[in-house]
Structures are given as C-alpha cells and as structure tokens.
Amino acid sequence: DVQLVESGGGSVQAGGSLRLSCAASGLTYSSYCMSWFRQAPGKEREGVAGVSSTGSTYYADSVKGRFTISQDPSRKMLYLQMSNLKPEDTAIYHCAAVANKDPRTAITILNVHRTPSSGAFWGQGTQVTVS
C-alpha cells in the first residue's frame, strides 16, 4: 500500500522558518509528481508546491519566493522549506502524489481526485501554526 507520512510541522512566529518532510513508501517514486497542499480552517484545500520526477517545480503565487520544494528520490523523501512565514500560512499541510510528469497538472488533478482508487495518494497532514 502507498503511504505518505508528513513530519516537521509546529508553531513558529511570523518571519520564522520550518521544514516539512514527507516519507513515501509503496510507490515507484520516479513515476509520480509529488505535491504539498494545505488546508486552513474554513478554506478550500490549496496546492502550494509540486515537483516532478525530473525536478520541474511549480509554486502557487501565495508562496512563491518563500517556499522551496525539494526531494530525495533515492530515499523517497519530499521536503518543503518554508521561510518568512506569515499568519496566513497557518494550515494543515498534506503531502500528495499522483502519476504525472508535470507538477502544475498534478496539482490540478489532485484538486479533483482525493482517493487511491482514482490514483491520488494523500498523507494525513502536519499542522503549521504561525502567530
């Protein structure tokens, strides 16, 4: 079974930094685009960053220049370095995977498909709180 397990969330003051990690298992990592989504209370889930197996990246405008997505395919690890954090970045951050070659397309797909039966895999999330 595919498993995505996030870690690294926490509480931080505005202007601070956090690094999220996602450990993937049960999938052929090179066949998937990996993404980070976030969901704040009362808001829609938002795709914030994605990376393809070849290293192409996508960032939402809201995080561009502040967040950096990276990965270590050999360890099936995904990361999100978050800097200059703002209170509006407060959310539960989820790691997600879908078989695709383009990170922006992957996020579009993941905005619709949320279940393994549809080829979309999600982690349980890690809370990030910025005050």
Side-chain angles (χ1 to χ4, degrees):
D1 290 354
V2 176
Q3 279 196 317
L4 302 175
V5 180
E6 302 93 339
S7 60
S11 297
V12 64
Q13 291 189 334
S17 300
L18 279 175
R19 188 192 193 210
L20 305 183
S21 299
C22 172
S25 62
L27 53 72
T28 304
Y29 195 90
S30 59
S31 298
Y32 286 80
C33 266
M34 304 297 295
S35 305
W36 287 100
F37 278 70
R38 66 185 180 187
Q39 187 163 20
K43 293 191 175 181
E44 293 286 322
R45 192 172 290 191
E46 174 193 14
V48 297
V51 61
S52 73
S53 59
T54 60
S56 298
T57 57
Y58 164 82
Y59 295 96
D61 288 343
S62 57
V63 305
K64 203 171 290 183
R66 300 188 298 122
F67 290 10
T68 302
I69 190 170
S70 62
Q71 61 185 351
D72 183 347
S74 67
R75 298 177 61 206
K76 296 186 179 180
M77 292 293 298
L78 179 72
Y79 305 101
L80 187 68
Q81 178 67 47
M82 305 184 295
S83 303
N84 191 20
L85 283 161
K86 305 175 181 181
E88 52 264 42
D89 294 318
T90 294
I92 297 174
Y93 283 71
H94 298 268
C95 171
V98 68
N100 200 273
K101 296 187 182 298
D102 178 72
R104 184 165 186 162
T105 301
I107 284 179
T108 301
I109 293 170
L110 288 164
N111 272 323
V112 175
H113 296 289
R114 301 286 171 89
T115 62
S117 62
S118 61
F121 301 96
W122 293 83
Q124 291 298 307
T126 185
Q127 176 71 48
V128 172
T129 302
V130 185
S131 59

